[in-house]
Amino acid sequence: MKILHTSDWHVGKVLKGQSRVGEHRDALAQVVEVAQAESPDLVIVAGDLYDTAAPNPESTRLVTRALSALRRTGAQVVAIGGNHDNGPALDALRPWAEAAGVALRGSVRDNPTEHVIDGSTADGEAWRLVALPFLSQRYAVRAVEMYELTAAEAVQTYADHVGRVLGRLTEGFDEPDRVHLVTGHLTVVGARTGGGEREAHTVLNYAVPATVFPTGAHYVALGHLHRAQQVLGPCPIRYSGSPLAVDFGEEENRPSVTIVEVTARTAARVREIPITAAAPLRTVRGTLAELADLADTTAWLRVYVREAPRAGLREEVQDLLPRALEVRIDPEMLPSSGAAARAAQRAGRSPRELFGDYLQTRGQADDGVRELFDELFEEATK
């Protein structure tokens, strides 16, 4: 059978105030094009369909249309909830999903059979997929245990709980004539973060060892970490990564989807297909003259300006580089923090005097900045 593995769409992402809905539309359209060209038997979307638990209607339309389009390629489609998704809200879409032929699992249910999906390919290859949405500590660890255990034991308890859940769901993975698959949204010890993940859900409290997955699994399709990568473990374990760079920490990632070919008796063969529709993200440094060479770039930019601070510098950079979403002074151009530590005592001093002291500690002598402060202070205190 052939599988298309994708994850971490993060539809609805706003980057430094810039909506990326157009890029998401183009990137997901390219994912659909890959599915049309590859004709997979199964498409797995391993969580974080949305960037927020309260997506707007435009984001909901984009996700549901993308899932429907993937289903129309002839593939069976399974999607699970991630830590950014609202699991119960995804479960509320299940009537639509079932009518569209999409298996949608937003949150963990009490009935384990809800998370075991059986199917077969057109050629008769039987498969079973265990679909485990994101599982928070609140649901994975009983409150009384959290109060009584040390931090290290609490981590072990979460990992053990995930292991027990997967052990229960994969009990039938010893059958020889079926492809056994797992999809989940979690952090595996030893995997590398992509740079834009939610830190609270990637730290050690949420990390599980690769040994939670059974040796009988032919392929484990993971989401949550945005960097495409293979993880060492008792079976083939892989993150597909995001189809676009979600934040500037991911500018070196290579957005892609993963294609997997496997049978019940042969090992999984994996290859990446790049997704290039979204604009890349870049961090650049330089003086205004040096930055002028980037005026025609199609990338979204984070800019560190190698100029002394002055009023209007940000606007000059953004006039020069309309795709600059974040503009900062290069830290090397700022005085050492020791000067700030030796600032004058504040008692009895006016806001204008204090601001003047601050400007001196930053090496700022532009009168325009002081005048702008006076105007803003007067406006704010009317």
Side-chain angles (χ1 to χ4, degrees), residues 63-382:
V63 167
T64 54
R65 288 175 179 175
L67 293 173
S68 297
L70 289 168
R71 180 69 182 96
R72 286 196 298 271
T73 66
Q76 298 188 61
V77 178
V78 178
I80 62 172
N83 61 305
H84 281 253
D85 297 317
N86 184 327
L90 286 181
D91 286 333
L93 288 174
R94 283 183 62 171
W96 162 82
E98 290 170 3
V102 175
L104 186 59
R105 301 293 183 267
S107 55
V108 176
R109 299 297 189 91
D110 293 336
N111 184 355
T113 61
E114 288 270 342
H115 300 286
V116 180
I117 302 167
D118 290 327
S120 62
T121 70
D123 294 333
E125 185 82 60
W127 56 265
R128 169 168 290 178
L129 172 64
V130 167
L132 183 65
F134 175 71
L135 186 63
S136 71
Q137 281 196 346
R138 184 171 57 160
Y139 294 104
V141 183
R142 291 179 303 167
V144 65
E145 292 177 322
M146 290 298 293
Y147 289 135
E148 294 176 356
L149 296 178
T150 66
E153 289 170 329
V155 173
Q156 184 180 14
T157 301
Y158 177 80
D160 284 349
H161 189 85
V162 172
R164 287 194 296 271
V165 171
L166 285 170
R168 172 66 178 85
L169 296 176
T170 60
E171 286 177 350
F173 273 27
D174 55 354
E175 297 184 13
D177 296 321
R178 185 168 59 193
V179 177
H180 301 119
L181 308 166
V182 178
T183 184
H185 193 88
L186 43 76
T187 302
V188 176
V189 175
R192 297 173 297 160
T193 59
E197 302 88 351
R198 185 173 290 170
E199 183 176 348
H201 293 151
T202 56
V203 294
L204 289 180
N205 283 10
Y206 273 91
V208 302
T211 52
V212 298
F213 302 110
T215 57
H218 290 84
Y219 182 74
V220 176
L222 295 182
H224 189 33
L225 303 187
H226 298 173
R227 185 194 302 268
Q229 61 189 292
Q230 200 83 11
V231 181
L232 186 64
C235 56
I237 304 169
R238 184 173 176 83
Y239 288 94
S240 68
S242 177
L244 76 170
V246 174
D247 210 336
F248 281 106
E250 303 178 12
E251 55 191 280
E252 295 183 1
N253 292 356
R254 184 173 182 248
S256 64
V257 296
T258 297
I259 298 295
V260 185
E261 295 179 76
V262 63
T263 74
R265 299 185 180 277
T266 60
R269 292 180 294 147
V270 174
R271 53 191 168 92
E272 290 182 16
I273 296 184
I275 301 298
T276 58
L281 307 182
R282 292 181 59 191
T283 297
V284 297
R285 288 176 166 81
T287 63
L288 286 176
E290 292 167 338
L291 294 173
D293 294 336
L294 302 172
D296 296 330
T297 184
T298 59
W300 296 115
L301 300 175
R302 175 171 60 181
V303 181
Y304 288 94
V305 192
R306 298 188 60 80
E307 301 267 356
R310 64 175 182 272
L313 181 58
R314 178 187 300 273
E315 289 74 15
E316 290 181 55
V317 173
Q318 291 178 324
D319 287 343
L320 184 65
L321 302 174
R323 295 182 71 82
L325 300 183
E326 182 177 347
V327 179
R328 299 181 181 182
I329 301 296
D330 192 315
E332 294 181 2
M333 302 300 295
L334 298 174
S336 66
S337 58
R342 296 187 297 271
Q345 293 292 326
R346 292 185 171 86
R349 312 202 65 195
S350 70
R352 190 177 193 279
E353 290 172 326
L354 292 172
F355 187 65
D357 288 343
Y358 169 76
L359 292 179
Q360 289 181 356
T361 67
R362 310 302 284 181
Q364 174 59 259
D366 190 337
D367 290 337
V369 177
R370 296 174 186 265
E371 293 171 3
L372 180 59
F373 175 83
D374 291 341
E375 292 176 12
L376 293 173
F377 183 73
E378 181 180 354
E379 181 68 26
T381 54
K382 280 183 179 179

